Amino acid sequence: MIKDLSPVQNRILSTLKNAKSLKYSDLRPDKISNDLFNYHLKFLLKNKLVDKLTNGYALSEIGIKHVADPYPANNAITSLFKINVITVVSRVNKGKIEILSQLRKSNPSYGKVGVMGGVVLKGELIEPAATRKLKQETGLEAKFKLIGCERRIMYKNGELFSDILFPICYSAKSDGELLSTEFGDNMWLPINKAIKNESIDYDSIKSIVKVLKAIKNKSIKKLPLFMEEVIQSDI
């Protein structure tokens, strides 16, 4: 992993994080000359953080890994695995159970549909973190209860890609107007569709399916607090 990228290089990667691909004109930051932008773009291409496509530019696999975990592996503090809280929210609409879901607009999960969440800040408690992330990503407010955790160690092309602890929080009640945000397009989906979206073999959080099935079976209140460790690989 490359250390100490320039502000312009980080800005380019940040812009690509929120897109499948971008044309040159859409990728170049405002107030940056073509010569300066070309210099930094060539650096990112040379170091394989960005791929050149026929219709523009996109994050490479190395680039996606960088935006998912931008800290150097030899940093004793920042290389500790991350904590990402998962927010599972349900409602009953016309007698049918629905789950709040998001079509994601940023890498490393660009284009996927599922329940949402995000990084727990240093010093922040889990349940308040869930409330903050829900408000930030959807405009809704809810109080959450921690119901379990999953640690997912994920390998890509035979190399460690991410190591994340996912506390899973649940709320059966939310208030406010549902909004789509820079994080993704938000929607309520039937619970069977939500279960199907989460039931994939790779780049998934297995425990979410267990939680959704407990909601469907109306046994969520009886679900014991759990902690699981899962290793996933794409090969």
Side-chain angles (χ1 to χ4, degrees):
M1 190 63 62
I2 298 174
K3 297 186 292 182
D4 300 328
L5 293 177
S6 75
V8 175
Q9 291 159 8
N10 277 319
R11 188 172 176 183
I12 293 170
L13 294 178
S14 178
T15 302
L16 285 173
K17 178 182 177 181
N18 298 315
K20 189 173 183 179
S21 65
L22 287 173
K23 295 179 181 179
Y24 178 96
S25 58
D26 296 324
L27 183 58
R28 183 172 66 84
D30 294 336
K31 300 180 181 179
I32 297 293
S33 68
N34 285 336
D35 288 345
L36 183 60
F37 174 63
N38 287 334
Y39 170 82
H40 290 295
L41 182 59
K42 287 179 181 179
F43 176 90
L44 295 174
L45 289 166
K46 179 180 178 181
N47 287 278
K48 300 181 179 180
L49 289 162
V50 171
D51 286 336
K52 186 175 182 179
L53 311 177
T54 56
N55 60 342
Y57 299 86
L59 288 176
S60 66
E61 288 190 2
I62 295 174
I64 291 174
K65 184 175 181 180
H66 177 85
V67 299
D69 186 12
Y71 305 115
N74 60 355
N75 186 312
I77 297 177
T78 58
S79 64
L80 295 175
F81 60 85
K82 297 188 296 183
I83 302 177
N84 277 22
V85 65
I86 300 298
T87 58
V88 179
V89 183
S90 70
R91 74 175 185 181
V92 177
N93 182 31
K94 298 180 181 179
K96 304 291 185 179
I97 300 174
E98 295 179 334
I99 301 298
L100 183 61
S101 302
Q102 183 181 84
L103 171 62
R104 295 180 178 88
K105 291 182 178 178
S106 65
N107 284 294
S109 299
Y110 186 94
K112 293 185 178 181
V113 178
V115 300
M116 59 209 66
V119 175
V120 178
L121 303 177
K122 185 176 180 180
E124 186 177 34
L125 298 178
I126 296 297
E127 292 170 355
T131 296
R132 174 182 61 80
K133 284 305 298 179
L134 184 76
K135 177 69 172 179
Q136 184 180 32
E137 299 206 10
T138 71
L140 298 180
E141 296 184 359
K143 291 185 178 180
F144 285 91
K145 180 179 179 181
L146 175 66
I147 57 175
C149 292
E150 177 174 313
R151 179 188 178 192
R152 186 190 70 187
I153 303 170
M154 194 165 75
Y155 289 84
K156 195 167 188 176
N157 296 325
E159 295 185 357
L160 181 63
F161 181 79
S162 65
D163 185 354
I164 304 175
L165 183 69
F166 294 97
I168 300 175
C169 294
Y170 172 64
S171 177
K173 185 179 184 301
S174 59
D175 297 300
E177 179 184 357
L178 180 62
L179 304 173
S180 291
T181 67
E182 62 182 305
F183 299 96
D185 296 327
N186 301 313
M187 67 208 81
W188 292 97
L189 294 179
I191 191 163
N192 286 337
K193 178 64 174 175
I195 291 172
K196 182 178 180 181
N197 287 337
E198 302 291 350
S199 299
I200 56 178
D201 292 331
Y202 181 70
D203 194 8
S204 60
I205 303 166
K206 305 300 183 183
S207 301
I208 293 177
V209 174
K210 175 168 67 175
V211 171
L212 294 178
K213 288 182 176 179
I215 296 170
K216 179 182 177 180
N217 298 330
K218 300 180 181 179
S219 60
I220 187 67
K221 292 183 179 180
K222 298 179 181 179
L223 187 68
L225 186 69
F226 61 86
M227 171 64 197
E228 298 180 357
E229 289 185 302
V230 176
I231 297 176
Q232 294 185 19
S233 176
D234 64 343
I235 57 175

